[in-house]
Amino acid sequence: MEQNTVTTNGCPDLSVQLGPLRLKNPVMSASGTFGYGEEYAGFFDLRRLGAVVVKGISLLPRAGNPAPRIVETPGGMMNAIGLENVGVERFVRLKLPFLRESGVPVIANIFGNTVEEYGELASRLDGEPGMSALEINVSCPNVKKGGMVFGTDPAMTAAVVRAVRAATTLPLVTKLTPNVTSISEVARAAEGAGSDMISCINTLAAMAVDVFSRRPRLANLIGGLSGPAVKPVALRCVYEVSRAVKCPVIGIGGIASPTDALEFLLVGASAVQVGTANFINPAVMVEILEGIERFARVEGLAELQSFIGSLDTSCLFPFSEDACSFIQSEIS
Amino acid sequence: MEKIIEEARIVSRQLVRGQIFRLRLHAPNISGAARPGQFVMLRVCEGIDPLLRRPFSFSRVDAAEGDFEILYRVVGRGTLLLSRLLPGASLSLVGPLGNGFELPLTSSSPLAFLAGGIGLAPLLELIARVISERGQKGAGELRLFYGARTAEELLPEDLLCLPGLRIDFATDDGTFGYKGRITHMFEEAVAEGFGPSEIYSCGPLAMQYNVAKWALANKTMAQLSLESLIAWGLGACLGCALPAATPEDPGAERFVHVCEDGPIFSAGSIKWNKILSQQTVVPTFPFN
Ligand SMILES: Cc1cc2nc3c(=O)[nH]c(=O)nc-3n(C[C@H](O)[C@H](O)[C@H](O)COP(=O)(O)OP(=O)(O)OC[C@H]3O[C@@H](n4cnc5c(N)ncnc54)[C@H](O)[C@@H]3O)c2cc1C
Ligand SMILES: Cc1cc2nc3c(=O)[nH]c(=O)nc-3n(C[C@H](O)[C@H](O)[C@H](O)COP(=O)(O)O)c2cc1C
Ligand code: FES
C-alpha cells in the first residue's frame, strides 16, 4: 500500500547505533528462540537481520529441566527449559563457525552460576572472530545466593557486569528480568557497572496448573511467560528503563508484527529482539523489517533514528476553543 | 533436509466418526518430501488464540496429486477451529518435520503394527508404504492391532482397507473385538505363534510404555511414535524434551527432543521411569 508521501531517495536508513555497536537494522532474534541460527537458515538469508542472539551459553554443557518444559497459555507460552545448552567450548567449535560464515553479527547470550563464571565465559569468548557483542543474562538462578536471581538485585547485577567488563572489550548488553519492583534501578546499576546497552524483558515468572490431576503443568512448577500476552508489560519496562539510563535500550517481549516493533522504538528502544513469534512464523523477522522500512517511507523518515523515543506524552485537546492548546502531562 | 513453509489448500474435510476428522490438503512441496512417521506444523488460525502451530502426522501421502491427509481428534481449541475450516480455505504449514519411521530391514518378514486411538494416523501411511515397497503378493504377514476406548471411537473399516493387512480390534470396554489392552491382544497373538521381526507403534504414552517393555524383554526391534508439546518443531527451543536413556551412564541426565530426534524412537532410547505424569495429561477441554 504505497501512499503519496515525500519519498526520499528510495531507501530509508534503518541502521542503528547501539553504543559502540552499529547494526544495519534494529531487528534481531531473542535468545533461546532462534537456536544457533542454523535452524532458521533454510527460511531466509540470516544476513537480513541486524544481529542474531544465540541460545544462552554456560561454561559447561547443561541438560536442562525435566519435561514437560513448555505449555501454551492464552496469547502466550510458558517455558522452563532450564538453559539446556551445549556449553561454551562446543558453541565455539561447532556452532559459531556457521554463523561467522553466514556473515550476520553474532551476540552471545551468557549466564553463569557465579560471578566468576560470567567472567570466565566472557574471557573465553573475547577475541573469538565473528562475535559482535555479549548479552549478559542475569535472570538465572544464582547458586551462591541460594536460588536467588542475580538480576533481581541491583548490587549483584552490577557485580556480574563488572566481572564481565573486566574480562572483555566486546560491547556488553545486560538483559534484565521484569520480575522486580523497580527495573529502572537494576538498569542504572548495570549501566553504572559498564554495560553498553540494556535489553529487556526476559520472561515473566508464571504458573499453569491442571485441576483434574491437581498438578502443575510444567515439571518445574514455575516457568517464564512470553509471547503477545507480555507485550504491554514489556513496553512499560522499556519505557521506564529508557528514561532511567543514558545507554541504548533493546526492547523485547511479545513482538510479532512491524507495529509491535515500532511501538518499542517509539517508547525509547533503539532496537528490538523477536522471540516467541519465530515459532509461529519462521520468516517473521524479515516481515517486521520490511514493515519498518515501509513505515519509514510512509512517514517520510529519512532515517529511523529520529523515530526512536519520539513518544509524545503531552495532552492535546482537539475540541477546545483554541485547537492548538495542549498541556504538559503530569505523568512524564 | 529441506524444511518447507507452504500455503496449503483444503481439498476435503470429513467427519469420520465421533470427534475424529479427516482432512485432505493440497501442498505439493510438502507432499513430495513427506515420509511416513514425519509430521507437519499447522497454523489453525491467523490470530493469537491458539498462538502456536499444532503438530499432525501424515496419515496418507499422495505425492502424485500433491496432496496429503491427516486424521485428527478434536481435543482443544486448535483442533476445534481446524474442524470448522471448509474446503477451499488455505492453511499455513511447516514441514515435513522429524525423523520418520525406518522402513523394515527385510523384505518379507512378519511385521506388527500397534495403534491406540488416533495413533493409527501415522501407521496408515507406513503400512501403505510397506505394502507398495514389498509388492502386494510378497508383502508377508502384516498385522495391525488396533484399539480404542470404545467401539464408537474406532475408525470405519473402509479407511483401514489396505490389501494384505490383517486387523485385530480391541476396545477397553469390549464393545467391539477383544476386550482389554492392545498390548495384551498382541501378546496373545504372539503366544499363538505370530513372530514379528519388527514392531511399529503409535498411541497413548501408557500403551507405548507397555510396547517398549515387551519389545525390550523380547529383544524385538520396536519403533515408537512419541508425543510431547511442540512449540515450533525445528529444534530451536528445546521445549519438546523427553528423558533419554543413558545406558553407558545410568545416573546421567540427558534429553531427547521429540521434534528433532523423533518423533520416532526405539524402545530403548527413552528413560521411561523418568517420565512425569504431566506428560500424559488428559484434555480438559470437553469439560468446559
Ligand atoms: C509429532 C506429533 C504428531 C501428532 N499427530 C497427530 C495426529 O496425527 N492426529 C491427532 O489427532 N493428533 C496428533 N498429535 C496431537 C495433536 O498435536 C494435539 O492433539 C493438538 O496439538 C491439540 O491441539 P488443541 O489446540 O486442539 O488442544 P490444546 O488446547 O492445545 O490442548 C487440549 C488438550 O489436548 C492435549 N494435548 C495438547 N497437545 C497435545 C499433544 N501434542 N499431544 C497430546 N495431547 C495434547 C492436552 O492434554 C491439552 O490439555 C500429534 C502430536 C505430535 C507431537
Ligand atoms: C523457549 C524459550 C527459551 C528462552 N531461552 C532464553 C535464554 O536462553 N536466554 C535468555 O536470555 N532468554 C531466553 N528466553 C527469553 C527470550 O529471549 C525473550 O526475552 C522472551 O521470550 C520475551 O520475548 P518474546 O515475547 O518475543 O518471546 C527464552 C524464551 C523462550 C520462549
Ligand atoms: S518444539 Fe522446540 S525444540 Fe522441539
Side-chain angles (χ1 to χ4, degrees):
Chain A
M1 184 186 58
E2 289 296 303
Q3 294 181 357
N4 50 343
T5 51
V6 261
T7 328
T8 46
N9 53 357
C11 275
D13 178 11
L14 298 189
S15 67
V16 285
Q17 188 70 41
L18 301 171
L21 183 65
R22 188 163 191 91
L23 298 181
K24 71 173 177 199
N25 69 61
V27 180
M28 44 189 134
S29 60
S31 177
T33 62
F34 205 65
Y36 300 98
E38 270 170 284
E39 291 88 340
Y40 286 81
F43 294 106
F44 64 91
D45 183 353
L46 295 182
R47 280 172 305 183
R48 300 281 308 266
L49 300 177
V52 164
V53 184
V54 299
K55 174 76 193 160
I57 305 161
S58 52
L59 272 179
L60 298 174
R62 281 175 62 117
N65 284 334
R69 294 175 171 184
I70 50 175
V71 57
E72 184 171 332
T73 55
M77 67 178 278
M78 283 167 51
N79 86 82
I81 307 296
L83 298 163
E84 172 176 353
N85 80 102
V86 296
V88 69
E89 288 309 324
R90 279 208 273 170
F91 166 71
V92 168
R93 203 154 34 86
L94 304 176
K95 305 292 183 182
L96 188 56
F98 169 84
L99 284 169
R100 185 163 50 223
E101 262 144 51
S102 79
V104 66
V106 180
I107 300 179
N109 180 280
I110 59 168
F111 70 93
N113 291 319
T114 62
V115 173
E116 298 77 45
E117 276 186 29
Y118 279 99
E120 266 180 71
L121 269 165
S123 55
R124 178 66 189 85
L125 291 167
D126 185 54
E128 270 306 323
M131 195 65 65
S132 293
L134 298 183
E135 182 174 63
I136 310 170
N137 179 2
V138 282
S139 8
C140 66
N142 163 10
V143 174
K144 269 195 175 165
K145 279 189 92 185
M148 234 215 18
V149 168
F150 287 109
T152 57
D153 178 2
M156 288 300 290
T157 303
V160 171
V161 175
R162 263 195 305 275
V164 175
R165 180 74 291 165
T168 179
T169 52
L170 283 168
L172 293 186
V173 188
T174 307
K175 182 165 177 179
L176 303 185
T177 165
N179 307 318
V180 292
T181 314
S182 168
I183 194 169
S184 307
E185 215 179 300
V186 189
R188 274 193 293 265
E191 184 187 37
S195 188
D196 300 302
M197 292 157 250
I198 303 292
S199 62
C200 58
I201 58 176
N202 210 316
T203 52
L204 280 156
M207 195 168 184
V209 296
D210 176 44
V211 293
F212 289 97
S213 63
R214 306 191 188 186
R215 289 181 188 283
R217 295 259 185 198
L218 295 175
N220 194 51
L221 292 134
I222 285 181
L225 182 65
S226 66
V230 310
K231 193 184 74 171
V233 178
L235 265 181
R236 186 267 300 167
C237 289
V238 169
Y239 174 76
E240 285 183 9
V241 169
S242 65
R243 268 146 195 80
V245 297
K246 291 186 195 69
C247 66
V249 178
I250 302 170
I252 320 168
I255 298 174
S257 70
T259 45
D260 291 341
L262 286 159
E263 288 169 19
F264 279 84
L265 300 180
L266 180 61
V267 303
S270 298
V272 293
Q273 293 179 9
V274 180
T276 303
N278 290 309
F279 298 150
I280 300 136
N281 175 3
V284 70
M285 289 195 283
V286 171
E287 286 169 19
I288 288 173
L289 194 56
E290 287 169 350
I292 292 176
E293 190 168 347
R294 210 161 54 238
F295 177 82
R297 263 207 218 105
V298 169
E299 293 287 304
L301 305 171
E303 18 75 47
L304 193 61
Q305 198 80 40
S306 65
F307 179 72
I308 291 170
S310 61
L311 182 73
D312 185 353
T313 51
S314 66
C315 298
L316 172 65
F317 300 100
F319 309 118
S320 72
E321 299 284 283
D322 172 7
C324 292
S325 88
F326 52 93
I327 59 163
Q328 201 54 41
S329 157
E330 302 260 304
I331 328 157
S332 80
Chain B
M1 208 187 335
E2 190 68 38
K3 307 294 180 218
I4 303 162
I5 177 160
E6 187 170 24
E7 272 314 304
R9 182 172 47 79
I10 298 181
V11 177
S12 64
R13 183 205 67 153
Q14 177 198 358
L15 173 62
V16 179
R17 176 163 287 180
Q19 296 291 309
I20 299 172
F21 286 80
R22 175 187 184 189
L23 187 70
R24 189 177 177 93
L25 296 167
H26 183 66
N29 297 330
I30 288 178
S31 303
R35 285 183 291 114
Q38 290 189 301
F39 64 99
V40 278
M41 293 298 287
L42 205 149
R43 190 165 182 196
V44 298
C45 76
E46 282 289 315
I48 59 167
D49 182 22
L51 180 67
L52 301 169
R53 288 172 185 261
R54 295 289 188 261
F56 296 96
S57 306
F58 299 106
S59 65
R60 290 316 285 269
V61 178
D62 184 346
E65 287 289 320
D67 291 355
F68 71 84
E69 288 183 10
I70 61 171
L71 269 178
Y72 66 92
R73 226 174 84 123
V74 174
V75 294
R77 189 167 155 81
T79 41
L80 180 70
L81 290 178
L82 188 59
S83 73
R84 290 179 180 160
L85 294 176
L86 298 173
S90 76
L91 268 178
S92 165
L93 310 176
V94 178
L97 304 173
N99 53 1
F101 289 109
E102 302 259 0
L103 291 178
L105 292 169
T106 56
S107 59
S108 63
S109 58
L111 302 174
F113 303 91
L114 276 65
I118 198 68
L120 181 67
L123 296 178
L124 284 179
E125 172 60 13
L126 174 69
I127 296 168
R129 196 69 68 101
V130 168
I131 291 172
S132 83
E133 298 241 320
R134 286 183 167 188
Q136 254 185 61
K137 288 225 174 59
E141 194 179 8
L142 306 178
R143 290 183 65 173
L144 169 65
F145 301 86
Y146 169 42
R149 264 180 303 218
T150 173
E152 303 270 271
E153 292 181 9
L154 285 169
L155 291 180
E157 292 203 40
D158 59 322
L159 256 178
L160 312 171
C161 189
L162 291 158
L165 176 70
R166 172 172 165 192
I167 308 175
D168 296 86
F169 295 91
T171 47
D172 290 346
D173 60 3
T175 44
F176 191 83
Y178 180 91
K179 179 173 193 289
R181 284 188 188 164
I182 300 157
T183 42
H184 286 162
M185 173 171 64
F186 165 72
E187 280 168 36
E188 283 181 18
V190 171
E192 284 160 17
F194 177 52
S197 68
E198 294 182 49
I199 300 175
Y200 298 85
S201 172
C202 184
L205 208 52
M207 167 192 153
Q208 297 287 56
Y209 166 67
N210 285 311
V211 175
K213 221 166 64 173
W214 188 91
L216 291 173
N218 292 276
K219 301 206 167 36
T220 305
M221 263 195 292
Q223 296 182 40
L224 317 173
S225 177
L226 298 181
E227 289 188 6
S228 180
L229 251 69
I230 295 191
W232 161 226
L234 276 126
C237 80
L238 309 175
C240 58
L242 287 178
T246 48
E248 62 296 342
D249 177 9
E253 198 175 34
R254 208 167 57 75
F255 293 91
V256 285
H257 301 95
V258 171
C259 75
E260 215 187 3
D261 311 314
I264 315 302
F265 294 95
S266 69
S269 60
I270 301 296
K271 200 177 260 177
W272 294 93
N273 61 354
K274 290 287 175 196
I275 290 182
L276 283 161
S277 63
Q278 277 94 332
Q279 208 70 50
T280 63
V281 280
V282 187
T284 58
F285 177 73
F287 184 79
N288 294 324

